[in-house]
Coordinates of all heavy atoms in Angstrom, one line a residue:
M29 N 10.3 6.7 -14.8 CA 10.4 6.5 -13.3 C 9.0 6.3 -12.8 O 8.0 6.8 -13.3 CB 10.9 7.8 -12.6 CG 10.8 7.8 -11.1 SD 11.7 9.1 -10.3 CE 13.5 8.6 -10.6
K30 N 8.8 5.3 -11.8 CA 7.6 4.9 -11.3 C 7.6 4.9 -9.8 O 8.6 4.5 -9.2 CB 7.2 3.5 -11.8 CG 5.9 3.1 -11.4 CD 5.4 1.9 -12.1 CE 4.0 1.4 -11.7 NZ 3.6 0.2 -12.4
V31 N 6.4 5.5 -9.3 CA 6.3 5.5 -7.8 C 5.1 4.6 -7.4 O 4.1 4.8 -7.9 CB 6.1 6.9 -7.3 CG1 5.8 7.0 -5.7 CG2 7.4 7.8 -7.5
L32 N 5.4 3.7 -6.5 CA 4.3 2.9 -6.0 C 3.7 3.5 -4.7 O 4.5 3.9 -3.8 CB 4.9 1.4 -5.6 CG 4.0 0.5 -5.0 CD1 2.8 0.1 -5.8 CD2 4.7 -0.8 -4.5
I33 N 2.4 3.7 -4.7 CA 1.8 4.3 -3.5 C 0.9 3.3 -2.9 O -0.1 2.8 -3.4 CB 1.0 5.5 -4.1 CG1 2.0 6.5 -4.7 CG2 0.2 6.2 -2.9 CD1 1.3 7.7 -5.4
I34 N 1.1 3.0 -1.6 CA 0.3 2.1 -0.8 C -0.6 2.9 0.1 O -0.2 3.7 0.9 CB 1.3 1.1 0.0 CG1 2.1 0.3 -0.9 CG2 0.4 0.2 0.9 CD1 3.1 -0.6 -0.2
N35 N -1.9 2.7 -0.1 CA -3.0 3.3 0.7 C -3.5 2.4 1.7 O -4.1 1.3 1.4 CB -4.1 3.7 -0.3 CG -5.1 4.5 0.5 OD1 -5.2 4.5 1.7 ND2 -6.1 5.1 -0.3
G36 N -3.2 2.7 3.0 CA -3.6 1.7 4.1 C -5.0 2.0 4.6 O -5.4 1.3 5.5
S37 N -5.8 2.9 3.9 CA -7.1 3.1 4.3 C -8.1 1.9 3.9 O -7.8 1.4 2.8 CB -7.6 4.4 3.8 OG -9.0 4.5 4.0
P38 N -9.1 1.6 4.7 CA -10.1 0.6 4.2 C -11.1 1.3 3.3 O -11.9 0.6 2.6 CB -10.7 0.1 5.5 CG -10.6 1.3 6.4 CD -9.3 2.0 6.1
R39 N -11.1 2.7 3.2 CA -12.2 3.4 2.6 C -11.8 3.8 1.1 O -10.9 4.6 0.9 CB -12.5 4.7 3.4 CG -13.0 4.3 4.7 CD -14.0 5.4 5.3 NE -13.4 6.8 5.1 CZ -14.3 7.7 4.8 NH1 -15.6 7.5 4.5 NH2 -13.8 9.0 4.6
V40 N -12.5 3.2 0.1 CA -12.3 3.6 -1.3 C -12.8 5.0 -1.3 O -13.9 5.4 -1.0 CB -13.0 2.6 -2.2 CG1 -13.0 3.1 -3.7 CG2 -12.6 1.3 -2.0
G41 N -12.0 5.9 -1.9 CA -12.4 7.3 -2.0 C -12.5 8.0 -0.8 O -13.1 9.1 -0.7
G42 N -11.8 7.6 0.3 CA -11.8 8.3 1.6 C -10.7 9.4 1.5 O -10.2 9.8 0.5
N43 N -10.5 9.9 2.8 CA -9.6 11.1 2.9 C -8.2 10.8 2.5 O -7.5 11.6 1.8 CB -9.5 11.5 4.4 CG -11.0 12.0 4.8 OD1 -11.7 12.5 4.1 ND2 -11.2 12.0 6.1
T44 N -7.7 9.5 2.7 CA -6.4 9.2 2.3 C -6.3 9.1 0.8 O -5.3 9.6 0.3 CB -6.0 7.8 3.0 OG1 -6.2 7.8 4.4 CG2 -4.5 7.5 2.7
S45 N -7.2 8.6 0.2 CA -7.3 8.5 -1.2 C -7.3 10.0 -1.9 O -6.7 10.2 -2.8 CB -8.6 7.8 -1.7 OG -8.6 6.4 -1.4
L46 N -8.1 10.8 -1.2 CA -8.2 12.2 -1.7 C -6.8 12.9 -1.6 O -6.4 13.6 -2.5 CB -9.2 13.0 -0.9 CG -10.7 12.6 -1.1 CD1 -11.6 13.4 -0.2 CD2 -11.1 12.9 -2.6
A47 N -6.1 12.7 -0.5 CA -4.8 13.3 -0.3 C -3.8 12.7 -1.3 O -3.0 13.3 -2.0 CB -4.3 13.0 1.1
L48 N -4.0 11.4 -1.5 CA -3.0 10.7 -2.5 C -3.3 11.2 -4.0 O -2.4 11.2 -4.8 CB -3.1 9.2 -2.4 CG -2.5 8.7 -1.1 CD1 -2.7 7.2 -1.0 CD2 -1.0 9.0 -1.0
D49 N -4.6 11.4 -4.3 CA -4.9 11.9 -5.6 C -4.2 13.2 -5.9 O -3.7 13.5 -7.0 CB -6.5 12.3 -5.7 CG -7.3 10.9 -5.8 OD1 -6.7 9.8 -5.9 OD2 -8.5 11.0 -5.6
E50 N -4.0 14.0 -4.9 CA -3.3 15.3 -5.1 C -1.9 15.0 -5.3 O -1.2 15.7 -6.1 CB -3.5 16.3 -3.8 CG -4.9 16.7 -3.6 CD -5.5 17.5 -4.8 OE1 -4.8 18.3 -5.3 OE2 -6.6 17.1 -5.2
M51 N -1.3 14.0 -4.6 CA 0.0 13.6 -4.8 C 0.3 13.1 -6.2 O 1.3 13.4 -6.8 CB 0.5 12.6 -3.6 CG 1.9 12.4 -3.6 SD 2.3 11.2 -2.2 CE 2.2 12.2 -0.8
V52 N -0.7 12.3 -6.7 CA -0.5 11.7 -7.9 C -0.5 12.8 -9.0 O 0.3 12.7 -10.0 CB -1.7 10.7 -8.3 CG1 -1.8 10.4 -9.7 CG2 -1.5 9.5 -7.4
K53 N -1.3 13.8 -8.9 CA -1.3 14.9 -9.8 C 0.1 15.6 -9.9 O 0.5 16.0 -10.9 CB -2.3 16.0 -9.4 CG -3.8 15.7 -9.6 CD -4.6 16.9 -9.2 CE -6.1 16.4 -8.9 NZ -6.8 17.4 -8.2
V54 N 0.7 15.7 -8.7 CA 2.1 16.4 -8.7 C 3.1 15.5 -9.4 O 3.8 16.0 -10.3 CB 2.5 16.7 -7.3 CG1 3.9 17.2 -7.2 CG2 1.6 17.7 -6.6
F55 N 3.0 14.2 -9.1 CA 3.9 13.3 -9.8 C 3.7 13.3 -11.3 O 4.6 13.3 -12.0 CB 3.7 11.9 -9.3 CG 4.4 11.6 -7.9 CD1 3.7 11.0 -6.9 CD2 5.8 11.8 -7.8 CE1 4.3 10.7 -5.6 CE2 6.4 11.6 -6.6 CZ 5.6 11.0 -5.5
E56 N 2.4 13.3 -11.6 CA 2.1 13.3 -13.1 C 2.6 14.5 -13.8 O 3.1 14.6 -15.0 CB 0.6 13.0 -13.3 CG 0.2 11.6 -13.1 CD -1.3 11.4 -13.3 OE1 -2.1 12.3 -13.4 OE2 -1.7 10.2 -13.3
S57 N 2.5 15.6 -13.1 CA 3.0 16.9 -13.7 C 4.5 16.9 -13.9 O 5.1 17.7 -14.6 CB 2.6 18.2 -12.7 OG 3.4 18.1 -11.6
E58 N 5.1 16.0 -13.2 CA 6.6 15.8 -13.4 C 7.0 14.6 -14.3 O 8.1 14.1 -14.3 CB 7.3 15.6 -12.0 CG 7.1 16.8 -11.1 CD 7.9 18.0 -11.4 OE1 9.0 17.9 -12.0 OE2 7.5 19.2 -11.1
D59 N 5.8 14.1 -15.0 CA 6.0 13.0 -15.8 C 6.5 11.7 -15.1 O 7.3 10.9 -15.6 CB 7.0 13.2 -17.0 CG 6.3 14.1 -18.1 OD1 5.1 13.9 -18.3 OD2 7.0 14.8 -18.8
I60 N 6.1 11.6 -13.8 CA 6.5 10.4 -13.0 C 5.3 9.5 -12.9 O 4.2 10.0 -12.5 CB 6.9 10.8 -11.6 CG1 8.2 11.6 -11.7 CG2 7.1 9.6 -10.8 CD1 8.7 12.2 -10.5
E61 N 5.3 8.3 -13.3 CA 4.2 7.3 -13.4 C 4.0 6.9 -11.9 O 4.9 6.8 -11.0 CB 4.7 6.0 -14.2 CG 3.5 5.1 -14.4 CD 4.0 3.9 -15.2 OE1 5.2 3.9 -15.7 OE2 3.3 2.9 -15.3
T62 N 2.7 6.7 -11.7 CA 2.3 6.2 -10.3 C 1.4 5.0 -10.4 O 0.7 4.8 -11.4 CB 1.5 7.3 -9.5 OG1 0.4 7.7 -10.3 CG2 2.5 8.5 -9.2
E63 N 1.4 4.2 -9.3 CA 0.4 3.1 -9.2 C 0.0 3.1 -7.7 O 0.8 3.0 -6.8 CB 1.0 1.8 -9.5 CG -0.1 0.7 -9.3 CD 0.3 -0.7 -9.9 OE1 1.5 -0.8 -10.3 OE2 -0.5 -1.6 -9.8
V64 N -1.3 3.3 -7.5 CA -1.9 3.3 -6.2 C -2.5 2.0 -5.8 O -3.3 1.5 -6.6 CB -2.9 4.5 -5.9 CG1 -3.4 4.5 -4.5 CG2 -2.3 5.8 -6.3
V65 N -2.2 1.3 -4.7 CA -2.7 0.1 -4.3 C -3.4 0.2 -3.0 O -2.7 0.6 -1.9 CB -1.8 -1.1 -4.3 CG1 -2.4 -2.4 -3.8 CG2 -0.9 -1.2 -5.6
L66 N -4.7 0.0 -2.9 CA -5.4 0.1 -1.6 C -5.3 -1.2 -0.8 O -5.7 -2.3 -1.4 CB -6.9 0.4 -1.8 CG -7.6 0.8 -0.7 CD1 -7.9 2.3 -0.6 CD2 -9.1 0.2 -0.7
V67 N -4.7 -1.2 0.3 CA -4.6 -2.5 1.1 C -5.3 -2.5 2.3 O -5.5 -3.6 3.0 CB -3.1 -2.7 1.4 CG1 -2.2 -2.8 0.2 CG2 -2.5 -1.6 2.4
G68 N -5.9 -1.4 2.8 CA -6.6 -1.3 4.1 C -7.8 -2.1 4.2 O -8.4 -2.3 5.3
N69 N -8.3 -2.6 3.0 CA -9.5 -3.4 3.1 C -9.3 -4.9 2.7 O -10.2 -5.6 2.3 CB -10.7 -2.8 2.1 CG -10.2 -2.7 0.7 OD1 -9.0 -3.1 0.4 ND2 -11.1 -2.3 -0.1
K70 N -8.0 -5.2 2.8 CA -7.6 -6.6 2.4 C -7.1 -7.4 3.6 O -6.6 -6.8 4.5 CB -6.5 -6.5 1.4 CG -6.8 -5.7 0.1 CD -6.5 -6.5 -1.1 CE -7.0 -5.9 -2.4 NZ -6.8 -4.5 -2.5
D71 N -7.3 -8.6 3.6 CA -6.8 -9.5 4.7 C -5.3 -9.7 4.4 O -5.0 -10.2 3.4 CB -7.5 -10.8 4.7 CG -8.9 -10.7 5.2 OD1 -9.2 -9.9 6.0 OD2 -9.8 -11.6 4.8
V72 N -4.5 -9.4 5.5 CA -3.0 -9.6 5.3 C -2.6 -10.4 6.6 O -2.8 -9.9 7.7 CB -2.3 -8.2 5.2 CG1 -0.8 -8.5 5.2 CG2 -2.8 -7.4 4.0
R73 N -2.0 -11.5 6.2 CA -1.5 -12.3 7.4 C -0.1 -11.7 7.9 O 0.7 -11.2 7.1 CB -1.2 -13.8 6.9 CG -2.5 -14.6 6.6 CD -3.0 -15.0 8.0 NE -2.1 -15.7 8.9 CZ -2.0 -17.0 9.1 NH1 -2.9 -17.8 8.5 NH2 -1.2 -17.5 9.9
G74 N 0.0 -11.9 9.2 CA 1.3 -11.4 9.8 C 2.5 -12.5 9.4 O 2.2 -13.6 9.2
C75 N 3.7 -11.9 9.5 CA 4.9 -12.8 9.2 C 5.0 -13.8 10.3 O 4.8 -13.5 11.6 CB 6.1 -12.0 9.2 SG 7.6 -12.8 9.0
I76 N 5.3 -15.1 10.1 CA 5.4 -16.1 11.1 C 6.9 -16.6 11.0 O 7.3 -17.6 11.7 CB 4.5 -17.4 10.8 CG1 4.8 -17.9 9.4 CG2 3.1 -17.0 11.0 CD1 4.1 -19.3 9.1
A77 N 7.8 -15.8 10.4 CA 9.3 -16.0 10.4 C 9.6 -17.4 10.0 O 10.5 -18.1 10.5 CB 9.8 -15.8 11.8
C78 N 8.9 -18.0 9.0 CA 9.2 -19.3 8.5 C 10.4 -19.3 7.5 O 10.9 -20.3 7.2 CB 8.0 -20.0 7.8 SG 7.5 -19.1 6.2
R79 N 10.7 -18.2 7.1 CA 11.8 -17.9 6.2 C 11.7 -18.5 4.8 O 12.6 -18.6 4.0 CB 13.2 -18.3 6.8 CG 13.5 -17.6 8.1 CD 14.9 -18.0 8.7 NE 15.9 -17.6 7.8 CZ 16.3 -16.3 7.8 NH1 15.9 -15.5 8.5 NH2 17.3 -16.0 7.0
A80 N 10.5 -19.0 4.4 CA 10.2 -19.5 3.1 C 10.4 -18.5 2.0 O 10.9 -18.8 0.9 CB 8.8 -20.1 3.1
C81 N 10.1 -17.2 2.3 CA 10.3 -16.1 1.3 C 11.8 -16.1 0.9 O 12.0 -15.7 -0.3 CB 9.8 -14.9 1.9 SG 10.7 -14.3 3.4
A82 N 12.7 -16.4 1.8 CA 14.2 -16.2 1.5 C 14.6 -17.4 0.4 O 15.4 -17.1 -0.5 CB 15.0 -16.5 2.7
E83 N 13.8 -18.4 0.4 CA 14.1 -19.5 -0.6 C 13.2 -19.4 -1.8 O 13.7 -19.5 -3.0 CB 13.8 -20.9 -0.1 CG 14.9 -21.3 1.0 CD 14.6 -22.6 1.6 OE1 13.7 -23.4 1.1 OE2 15.0 -22.8 2.8
K84 N 11.9 -19.1 -1.6 CA 11.0 -19.1 -2.7 C 10.7 -17.6 -3.3 O 10.1 -17.5 -4.4 CB 9.6 -19.6 -2.3 CG 9.7 -21.1 -1.7 CD 8.4 -21.6 -1.3 CE 8.4 -23.0 -0.8 NZ 7.3 -23.5 -0.1
G85 N 11.2 -16.7 -2.7 CA 11.0 -15.3 -3.2 C 9.6 -14.8 -3.0 O 9.2 -13.7 -3.5
K86 N 8.8 -15.6 -2.3 CA 7.4 -15.1 -2.0 C 6.9 -15.7 -0.7 O 7.4 -16.7 -0.3 CB 6.4 -15.3 -3.2 CG 6.2 -16.7 -3.5 CD 5.2 -16.9 -4.6 CE 4.8 -18.3 -4.8 NZ 3.7 -18.4 -5.8
C87 N 5.9 -15.0 -0.1 CA 5.3 -15.4 1.1 C 4.5 -16.7 0.9 O 3.8 -16.9 -0.1 CB 4.5 -14.4 1.7 SG 3.8 -14.7 3.4
V88 N 4.4 -17.6 2.0 CA 3.6 -18.9 1.9 C 2.1 -18.3 2.0 O 1.3 -19.2 1.6 CB 3.9 -19.8 3.1 CG1 5.3 -20.4 2.9 CG2 3.8 -19.1 4.4
F89 N 1.9 -17.2 2.5 CA 0.5 -16.7 2.6 C 0.3 -15.8 1.4 O 0.9 -14.8 1.1 CB 0.2 -15.9 3.8 CG 0.5 -16.7 5.1 CD1 1.3 -16.2 6.1 CD2 -0.2 -17.8 5.3 CE1 1.5 -16.9 7.2 CE2 0.0 -18.5 6.5 CZ 0.8 -18.1 7.4
N90 N -0.5 -16.4 0.4 CA -0.6 -15.7 -0.9 C -1.6 -14.6 -0.9 O -2.7 -14.6 -1.5 CB -0.9 -16.7 -2.0 CG -0.6 -16.2 -3.4 OD1 0.3 -15.4 -3.5 ND2 -1.3 -16.8 -4.3
D91 N -1.3 -13.5 -0.2 CA -2.2 -12.3 -0.1 C -1.6 -11.2 -0.9 O -0.6 -11.3 -1.7 CB -2.6 -12.0 1.3 CG -1.4 -11.8 2.2 OD1 -0.3 -11.3 1.7 OD2 -1.5 -12.1 3.4
V92 N -2.1 -10.0 -0.6 CA -1.6 -8.7 -1.3 C -0.1 -8.5 -1.2 O 0.5 -7.8 -2.0 CB -2.5 -7.6 -0.9 CG1 -2.2 -7.1 0.5 CG2 -2.4 -6.3 -1.9
V93 N 0.5 -9.1 -0.1 CA 1.8 -8.8 0.2 C 2.8 -9.4 -1.1 O 3.7 -8.8 -1.5 CB 2.4 -9.5 1.4 CG1 3.9 -9.6 1.5 CG2 1.8 -8.8 2.6
N94 N 2.3 -10.6 -1.6 CA 3.0 -11.2 -2.7 C 2.8 -10.3 -4.0 O 3.7 -10.1 -4.9 CB 2.5 -12.6 -3.0 CG 3.2 -13.5 -2.1 OD1 4.3 -13.3 -1.5 ND2 2.6 -14.7 -1.9
E95 N 1.6 -9.7 -4.2 CA 1.4 -8.9 -5.3 C 2.3 -7.6 -5.2 O 2.8 -7.1 -6.2 CB -0.1 -8.4 -5.3 CG -1.1 -9.3 -5.7 CD -2.6 -8.9 -5.5 OE1 -2.8 -7.7 -5.8 OE2 -3.4 -9.7 -5.1
L96 N 2.3 -7.1 -4.0 CA 3.1 -5.9 -3.7 C 4.6 -6.1 -3.9 O 5.4 -5.3 -4.5 CB 2.9 -5.3 -2.3 CG 1.5 -4.6 -2.2 CD1 1.4 -4.2 -0.7 CD2 1.4 -3.3 -3.1
A97 N 5.1 -7.3 -3.6 CA 6.4 -7.7 -3.6 C 7.0 -7.5 -5.1 O 8.1 -7.0 -5.4 CB 6.8 -9.0 -3.2
L98 N 6.1 -8.0 -6.0 CA 6.5 -7.8 -7.5 C 6.5 -6.3 -7.9 O 7.4 -5.9 -8.6 CB 5.4 -8.5 -8.3 CG 5.4 -10.0 -8.2 CD1 4.2 -10.6 -8.9 CD2 6.7 -10.7 -8.5
K99 N 5.5 -5.6 -7.4 CA 5.5 -4.1 -7.7 C 6.7 -3.3 -7.1 O 7.2 -2.4 -7.6 CB 4.2 -3.5 -7.2 CG 2.9 -4.1 -7.9 CD 1.7 -3.5 -7.4 CE 0.5 -4.3 -7.9 NZ 0.3 -4.2 -9.4
F100 N 7.2 -3.8 -5.9 CA 8.3 -3.1 -5.3 C 9.6 -3.3 -6.3 O 10.3 -2.4 -6.3 CB 8.7 -3.9 -4.0 CG 7.8 -3.5 -2.8 CD1 7.5 -4.5 -1.9 CD2 7.4 -2.2 -2.5 CE1 6.8 -4.2 -0.7 CE2 6.6 -2.0 -1.5 CZ 6.2 -2.9 -0.6
E101 N 9.6 -4.4 -6.8 CA 10.8 -4.7 -7.8 C 10.9 -3.7 -8.8 O 11.9 -3.2 -9.3 CB 10.7 -6.0 -8.4 CG 10.8 -7.2 -7.4 CD 12.2 -7.3 -6.8 OE1 13.2 -7.0 -7.6 OE2 12.4 -7.8 -5.6
E102 N 9.7 -3.2 -9.4 CA 9.7 -2.4 -10.6 C 9.6 -0.9 -10.2 O 9.7 -0.1 -11.0 CB 8.6 -2.7 -11.6 CG 7.2 -2.7 -11.0 CD 6.2 -3.2 -12.0 OE1 6.6 -4.1 -12.8 OE2 5.1 -2.6 -12.2
A103 N 9.3 -0.6 -8.9 CA 9.2 0.8 -8.5 C 10.5 1.4 -8.2 O 11.4 0.8 -7.6 CB 8.3 0.8 -7.2
D104 N 10.6 2.7 -8.5 CA 11.8 3.5 -8.1 C 11.5 4.3 -6.9 O 12.5 4.7 -6.2 CB 12.0 4.5 -9.3 CG 12.2 3.8 -10.6 OD1 13.2 3.1 -10.8 OD2 11.4 4.0 -11.5
G105 N 10.3 4.5 -6.5 CA 10.0 5.2 -5.3 C 8.8 4.6 -4.6 O 8.0 3.8 -5.3
L106 N 8.6 4.9 -3.3 CA 7.5 4.3 -2.5 C 7.0 5.4 -1.6 O 7.7 6.1 -0.9 CB 8.1 3.1 -1.7 CG 7.1 2.4 -0.7 CD1 6.0 1.7 -1.5 CD2 8.0 1.5 0.2
V107 N 5.6 5.4 -1.6 CA 4.9 6.2 -0.7 C 3.9 5.3 0.1 O 3.2 4.6 -0.5 CB 4.0 7.3 -1.5 CG1 3.1 8.0 -0.4 CG2 4.9 8.3 -2.2
V108 N 3.9 5.4 1.4 CA 3.0 4.6 2.3 C 2.2 5.7 3.0 O 2.7 6.6 3.7 CB 3.8 3.8 3.3 CG1 2.8 3.0 4.1 CG2 4.7 2.8 2.6
A109 N 0.9 5.6 2.8 CA -0.1 6.5 3.5 C -1.2 5.7 4.3 O -1.7 4.7 3.8 CB -0.8 7.3 2.4
S110 N -1.5 6.2 5.5 CA -2.5 5.5 6.2 C -3.2 6.4 7.1 O -2.6 7.4 7.7 CB -1.8 4.4 7.0 OG -2.8 3.6 7.7
P111 N -4.5 6.3 7.3 CA -5.1 7.0 8.4 C -4.9 6.5 9.8 O -4.4 5.4 9.9 CB -6.7 6.9 8.0 CG -6.7 5.5 7.4 CD -5.4 5.4 6.6
V112 N -5.1 7.3 10.7 CA -5.0 6.9 12.2 C -6.4 6.4 12.6 O -7.4 7.2 12.5 CB -4.5 8.0 13.1 CG1 -4.6 7.6 14.5 CG2 -3.1 8.5 12.6
Y113 N -6.6 5.1 12.9 CA -7.8 4.7 13.5 C -7.6 4.2 14.9 O -7.0 3.1 15.1 CB -8.3 3.5 12.7 CG -9.0 3.9 11.4 CD1 -9.1 5.2 10.8 CD2 -9.7 2.9 10.6 CE1 -9.8 5.5 9.7 CE2 -10.3 3.2 9.4 CZ -10.4 4.5 9.0 OH -11.0 4.8 7.8
K114 N -7.9 5.0 15.8 CA -7.7 4.6 17.3 C -8.9 4.9 18.0 O -9.4 6.1 17.9 CB -6.5 5.3 17.8 CG -6.2 4.9 19.3 CD -5.0 5.6 19.7 CE -4.6 5.3 21.2 NZ -5.6 5.9 22.2
I115 N -9.5 3.9 18.7 CA -10.6 4.2 19.5 C -10.2 4.1 21.0 O -9.7 3.1 21.4 CB -11.8 3.3 19.2 CG1 -12.2 3.4 17.8 CG2 -12.9 3.5 20.2 CD1 -13.3 2.5 17.3
A116 N -10.5 5.2 21.7 CA -10.2 5.1 23.2 C -11.4 4.5 24.0 O -12.4 5.1 23.9 CB -9.7 6.5 23.7
F117 N -11.2 3.6 24.7 CA -12.3 3.0 25.6 C -12.2 3.5 27.0 O -11.1 3.6 27.5 CB -12.3 1.5 25.5 CG -12.5 0.9 24.2 CD1 -11.5 0.5 23.4 CD2 -13.8 0.8 23.8 CE1 -11.7 -0.2 22.2 CE2 -14.1 0.3 22.4 CZ -13.0 -0.2 21.7
G118 N -13.3 3.8 27.6 CA -13.3 4.1 29.0 C -12.9 5.6 29.3 O -12.7 6.4 28.5
Ligands
FMN3 C1 -12.8 4.6 14.1 C2 -11.9 5.8 13.8 C3 -10.9 6.2 14.7 C4 -10.2 7.3 14.5 N1 -9.1 7.6 15.3 C5 -8.4 8.7 15.1 C6 -7.3 9.1 16.1 O1 -7.1 8.5 17.1 N2 -6.6 10.2 15.7 C7 -6.8 11.0 14.6 O2 -6.1 12.0 14.4 N3 -7.8 10.7 13.8 C8 -8.6 9.6 14.0 N4 -9.6 9.3 13.1 C9 -9.8 10.1 12.0 C10 -9.2 9.5 10.7 O3 -7.9 9.1 10.8 C11 -9.4 10.4 9.6 O4 -10.7 10.8 9.4 C12 -8.8 9.9 8.3 O5 -8.7 11.1 7.4 C13 -9.7 8.9 7.7 O6 -9.1 8.4 6.5 P1 -9.9 7.6 5.4 O7 -11.1 8.4 4.9 O8 -8.9 7.3 4.3 O9 -10.3 6.3 6.1 C14 -10.4 8.2 13.3 C15 -11.4 7.8 12.5 C16 -12.2 6.7 12.7 C17 -13.3 6.2 11.7

């Protein structure tokens, strides 16, 4: 069994990574394989509803989304973690 863990933080070794490290330890103690992918520091294009993915099986924008799509296929479980980054002006 494998769990894919998506880290939405831009910070390598940040708080989200530290929290996920603890989660990975628990999965490993249960003999569950994990793979953590940091996406918060990557450029990701938004969907433009061109529907090319329905025909080609991948996005026309060849970014981390296409990498993750392959990993989704082989994963049995998914964890999505992200920090809250909100700045209030005024
Ligand atoms: C620019 C900025 C804005 C933030 N805004 C919020 C917020 O609105 N609410 C909140 O609870 N935490 C906020 N935080 C705190 C982060 O969510 C928190 O420190 C988080 O653990 C950071 O995770 P990271 O180290 O993986 O980036 C903010 C942090 C930063 C740097």
Side-chain angles (χ1 to χ4, degrees):
M29 178 170 285
K30 183 170 181 179
V31 174
L32 175 64
I33 301 176
I34 298 176
N35 181 350
S37 172
R39 297 203 318 137
V40 177
N43 295 333
T44 309
S45 293
L46 291 173
L48 291 175
D49 286 348
E50 295 303 311
M51 193 178 277
V52 165
K53 282 183 204 164
V54 174
F55 280 128
E56 283 177 353
S57 74
E58 299 288 332
D59 284 329
I60 296 170
E61 192 185 344
T62 57
E63 180 175 2
V64 182
V65 182
L66 190 100
V67 300
N69 59 359
K70 303 224 168 47
D71 288 330
V72 178
R73 285 287 306 259
C75 177
I76 58 169
C78 68
R79 303 186 62 82
C81 59
E83 288 172 25
K84 297 179 180 171
K86 63 180 189 175
C87 183
V88 291
F89 302 124
N90 198 24
D91 56 31
V92 71
V93 170
N94 280 341
E95 285 172 40
L96 287 173
L98 298 173
K99 296 179 190 298
F100 284 143
E101 294 291 327
E102 62 186 37
D104 304 292
L106 174 69
V107 174
V108 179
S110 183
V112 174
Y113 280 8
K114 178 179 180 295
I115 299 176
F117 296 99

